[in-house]
Amino acid sequence: MLNSRTITCSINKPPATVFEFASNPENLPKWVLSFCMSVRKSGDEWQMETPTGWVGIRYVAVNDYGVLNHVVTLPDGQSILNPVRVVVNDIGSEVMFTLFQLPGMSDEQFAEDAGMVKADLQTLKVVLEGSQA
């Protein structure tokens, strides 16, 4: 089994609002500041420009359960599943991103990736809450 870490962020917006914004690939450059430089649609697939080149990104079908799982396909063809959930937290939302330590990834790299996910979720919070953050 892979080592994992679930990173969470509370956002003072209804789950439907958070889900709608976060599930739209066109919004990625607004909140995934750690590595998303731009996005483009290519046929039926979305691509994201990163500092290391273009990667594919595919979300699960839109659903009523807050599931934002997505698969990122790296230039070498490796696919990485990123499980993400948006759930009710009182009058707001809790966003949960589960990060896996992939084979060959050092503990330092894993910690760095976790830090980037945490920062991106905090950016999502600021973007959605505006001046409330």
Side-chain angles (χ1 to χ4, degrees):
M1 290 191 40
L2 300 174
N3 187 23
S4 68
R5 184 177 304 168
T6 299
I7 299 131
T8 67
C9 181
S10 300
I11 299 178
N12 191 19
K13 289 291 178 182
T17 301
V18 176
F19 182 87
E20 181 180 340
F21 183 86
S23 67
N24 182 346
E26 292 175 301
N27 290 329
L28 289 170
K30 297 175 185 173
W31 65 279
V32 182
L33 304 181
S34 63
F35 62 89
C36 180
M37 299 162 58
S38 67
V39 293
R40 68 182 180 198
K41 187 152 182 162
S42 178
D44 292 336
E45 195 174 89
W46 284 92
Q47 295 181 333
M48 178 171 42
E49 183 182 16
T50 72
T52 59
W54 289 92
V55 298
I57 185 164
R58 182 175 33 88
Y59 284 91
V60 296
V62 174
N63 60 82
D64 294 329
Y65 306 106
V67 176
L68 278 173
N69 291 4
H70 57 280
V71 175
V72 174
T73 304
L74 303 177
D76 67 3
Q78 179 185 16
S79 292
I80 301 169
L81 171 65
N82 295 296
V84 183
R85 302 287 183 276
V86 179
V87 298
V88 174
N89 180 349
D90 194 27
I91 62 168
S93 302
E94 196 71 22
V95 179
M96 301 174 287
F97 185 114
T98 300
L99 181 68
F100 293 102
Q101 185 173 7
L102 302 174
M105 179 183 280
S106 70
D107 290 343
E108 292 78 20
Q109 289 171 312
F110 184 55
E112 184 178 320
D113 280 3
M116 289 190 305
V117 169
K118 182 176 182 177
D120 289 340
L121 292 179
Q122 285 299 312
T123 301
L124 178 64
K125 175 184 180 71
V126 168
V127 167
L128 289 173
E129 291 182 357
S131 61
Q132 297 177 26

